[in-house]
Amino acid sequence: MEEKESIGVGLMGLGVVGGGVAKVLLERSDALARQAGCNLRLKKVLVRDADKPRSVTLDSSLITCDPQQILSDPDIGIVIEVMGGEQPALDYAKQALLGGKYVVTANKEVMAKYMAELLEMAAQEGVGILYEASVGGGIPLLLPLQEGLLANEIRAIYAIINGTTNYILTKMSSEGLSFGDALREAQQLGYAEADPSNDVEGTDALYKLAILASSAFHTTVRPDDIYCQGITSIGERDFRYAKELGYEIKLLAIAKKVGGSIEVRVHPAFVPTDYLLAKVDGVYNAVQIEGDLVGKVLFYGEGAGSSPTSSAIVANVIAAAKAIKRSEAMVTARRAVGAPAASVVGRLSNPAMTIKPMAEVETRYYLRMSIADRPGVLAQISGILGDRSISIASAIQKEADAVAQTAEIVLMTHPAREEFMQQALRDMERLPVVKEISNFIRVEG
Ligand code: NAP
Ligand code: HSE
């Protein structure tokens, strides 16, 4: 058989994702070579602790704690960054690009914060940075936005894009597990971030939404533009009421065009049980994209974990290898005349868009509160809401505590402006008859 040429691959990180990627590169080398048109040779693997036991057995000569063994090796054409965190991952990605190497990364923090800069750098250097695994684990999302849906004006994205929180919410809703137990399970399964507060506080979903929205609207949507609330305040009673009212509770990431601006937000939401997104359980993610030509399309699959994430990363590695081979002749020719070579992924070409402040967003609300159980209390509450033009859609009262003389009420509102709801909440908190505002959750659909 004819000997194929090979491209050296450097892997930075050998944890949950890196371990899976190394396995795929080694165990499927023949099949991958057929797809890439060249051998993908794993040359070095960067870790912090060379003596740590690993899920994958590698020849010890491959392991290094010195990043320059990857970044300064001219035989390495593709660097896979799966270390996580902002630094030193960002510096290494930049060094790799400036050294003429393709970068494949699963790092949503780095991509969310520095996407425009890194794409520009890659384009200038005639290489590419590919980041499919940074959103939705194994689900192809960014390639469809960069290619198959390009003719559309994207109008909205509704997404469940954090596997850990979806796993926790599913276990709490269907099995009555406590928040802590469900989180521990998600960590054991390798879904959670190194710091799981990034998952449960919504930060991981926020980074992913910044990447998705930037890719969908072809402009920079920064993490700071996005309103974010996590799932830590959701209690067992909220699940009970959600079920009674015909909803599931999901951590939603939403980006939509409204007039000339865009709304971008991550927060828990009541989703009607007959909606597809309400049926997305466990570590599964789903992203509904609405384009003006295509209508609604739904992407669904495993959003975290070693194998699904490796699937996205290795696909990007193959794409990078093909691009290297395709562009070799062209790059040489263009560099000879001093022009920058073509990059594999485009820049964010649209002008900046106005971000709608959260205060101006309109949704419906679920409100759960503990109140004094005596005549006239509901009238005081509905008066405050009415003063802010917030209309009550339904009310249920339960669980009267005869000793404390309190009752729990749940209100569902019609659409209301966020700033008015926040003002009403503050006013209600001051009412002597309101013992506690236990939770308020936005309602979608
Ligand atoms: P992980 O299990 O914590 O693994 C991180 C790896 O990077 C470890 O091997 C660690 O080395 C190495 N590392 C970290 N900092 C380093 C440094 N400064 N120098 C050298 N090596 C360093 O993390 P993971 O779950 O695989 O996640 C990796 C990335 O993929 C993150 O960006 C994450 O957000 C993203 N991601 C994860 C998933 C998932 O399901 N886990 C899915 C999609 C995307 P040691 O082993 O020696 O400590
Ligand atoms: N911690 C992330 C999640 C990993 O739970 O979705 C995948 O990006």
Side-chain angles (χ1 to χ4, degrees):
M1 206 177 80
E2 189 197 334
E3 182 71 16
K4 279 197 171 77
E5 63 178 290
S6 72
I7 293 178
V9 175
L11 178 60
M12 297 185 135
L14 191 61
V16 173
V17 178
V21 170
K23 235 183 236 171
V24 175
L25 287 176
L26 295 175
E27 290 174 2
R28 303 189 178 190
S29 56
D30 290 346
L32 299 180
R34 281 194 296 279
Q35 294 306 323
C38 62
N39 290 311
L40 300 169
R41 190 157 60 91
L42 185 58
K43 275 202 78 184
K44 275 289 172 219
V45 180
L46 177 73
V47 294
R48 270 180 303 215
D49 175 0
D51 300 323
K52 198 166 161 180
R54 306 282 167 185
S55 62
V56 55
T57 313
L58 296 181
D59 190 309
S60 62
S61 65
L62 287 180
I63 304 286
T64 181
C65 292
D66 174 8
Q68 292 313 320
Q69 291 210 9
I70 292 176
L71 297 169
S72 303
D73 182 343
D75 289 340
I76 290 181
I78 303 171
V79 174
I80 306 171
E81 185 279 296
V82 281
M83 303 187 309
E86 183 172 329
Q87 287 294 5
L90 174 64
D91 276 352
Y92 294 171
K94 285 183 179 176
Q95 281 184 52
L97 293 174
L98 292 171
K101 302 180 194 309
Y102 278 71
V103 173
V104 173
T105 180
N107 194 322
K108 46 247 141 145
E109 180 171 1
V110 163
M111 289 313 295
K113 292 181 179 170
Y114 303 100
M115 184 192 287
E117 184 187 343
L118 291 169
L119 288 177
E120 186 60 38
M121 188 179 275
Q124 286 295 333
E125 296 303 319
V127 289
I129 179 159
L130 296 102
Y131 45 98
E132 186 65 69
S134 65
V135 187
I139 313 170
L141 285 168
L142 302 178
L143 190 64
L145 283 169
Q146 286 152 356
E147 292 188 359
L149 295 169
L150 263 187
N152 288 263
E153 182 191 322
I154 302 299
R155 293 191 163 155
I157 297 174
Y158 289 87
I160 293 173
I161 39 176
N162 181 267
T164 301
T165 47
N166 205 46
Y167 185 88
I168 293 171
L169 293 173
T170 304
K171 290 282 173 173
M172 289 175 80
S173 171
S174 61
E175 295 173 26
L177 238 64
S178 73
F179 178 89
D181 286 347
L183 172 60
R184 259 186 298 285
E185 282 189 12
Q187 285 178 293
Q188 280 157 10
L189 291 163
Y191 304 151
E193 294 301 298
D195 176 359
S197 65
N198 275 344
D199 294 293
V200 299
E201 300 293 352
T203 318
D204 178 82
L206 173 150
Y207 289 148
K208 290 168 177 170
L209 184 63
I211 297 168
L212 264 183
S214 298
S215 307
F217 302 133
H218 311 290
T219 188
T220 298
V221 177
R222 296 181 322 253
D224 287 351
D225 294 331
I226 301 176
Y227 171 85
C228 181
Q229 184 197 339
I231 63 163
T232 50
S233 71
I234 311 290
E236 180 264 333
R237 300 173 91 84
D238 298 312
F239 286 105
R240 264 203 270 157
Y241 286 118
K243 283 206 175 90
E244 187 176 332
L245 292 159
Y247 294 89
E248 285 292 346
I249 303 174
K250 296 291 179 191
L251 182 69
L252 287 191
I254 299 170
K256 61 177 174 182
K257 278 200 180 135
V258 186
S261 59
I262 48 178
E263 259 178 54
V264 268
R265 48 194 166 100
V266 170
H267 53 72
F270 271 38
V271 180
T273 46
D274 58 351
Y275 274 40
L276 284 170
L277 287 181
K279 301 181 205 302
V280 175
D281 284 337
V283 72
Y284 280 82
N285 283 191
V287 178
Q288 179 181 298
I289 299 175
E290 297 177 21
D292 62 340
L293 300 175
V294 75
K296 289 179 187 167
V297 286
L298 185 75
F299 297 84
Y300 171 81
E302 286 184 60
S306 183
S307 298
T309 312
S310 306
S311 163
I313 288 175
V314 177
N316 276 176
V317 171
I318 294 170
K322 284 181 170 173
I324 290 172
K325 282 175 61 66
R326 258 200 325 268
S327 65
E328 260 164 7
M330 189 175 75
V331 170
T332 314
R334 287 187 177 210
R335 283 213 171 123
V337 292
S343 159
V344 73
V345 184
R347 299 168 166 101
L348 301 171
S349 50
N350 282 351
M353 295 179 78
T354 311
I355 308 290
K356 191 170 184 173
M358 190 62 194
E360 292 172 20
V361 166
E362 280 199 4
T363 65
R364 293 187 293 136
Y365 294 87
Y366 151 96
L367 274 179
R368 173 165 68 86
M369 60 182 101
S370 173
I371 54 166
D373 192 11
R374 59 169 189 265
V377 175
L378 266 181
Q380 291 183 54
I381 290 168
S382 60
I384 286 180
L385 290 170
D387 287 347
R388 310 275 177 204
S389 307
I390 301 169
S391 162
I392 297 172
S394 67
I396 41 184
Q397 178 169 333
K398 288 216 174 145
E399 316 261 357
D401 180 335
V403 180
Q405 291 194 310
T406 59
E408 184 162 69
I409 57 161
V410 165
L411 302 179
M412 298 289 278
T413 75
H414 287 296
R417 205 172 148 110
E418 176 84 12
E419 64 181 336
F420 297 153
M421 179 52 78
Q422 295 292 349
Q423 288 164 1
L425 287 171
R426 282 194 292 275
D427 288 351
M428 284 189 280
E429 254 165 358
R430 281 190 217 110
L431 284 179
V433 293
V434 171
K435 304 298 170 204
E436 180 188 59
I437 297 190
S438 314
N439 215 343
F440 86 100
I441 301 176
R442 297 173 188 88
V443 180
E444 292 294 328

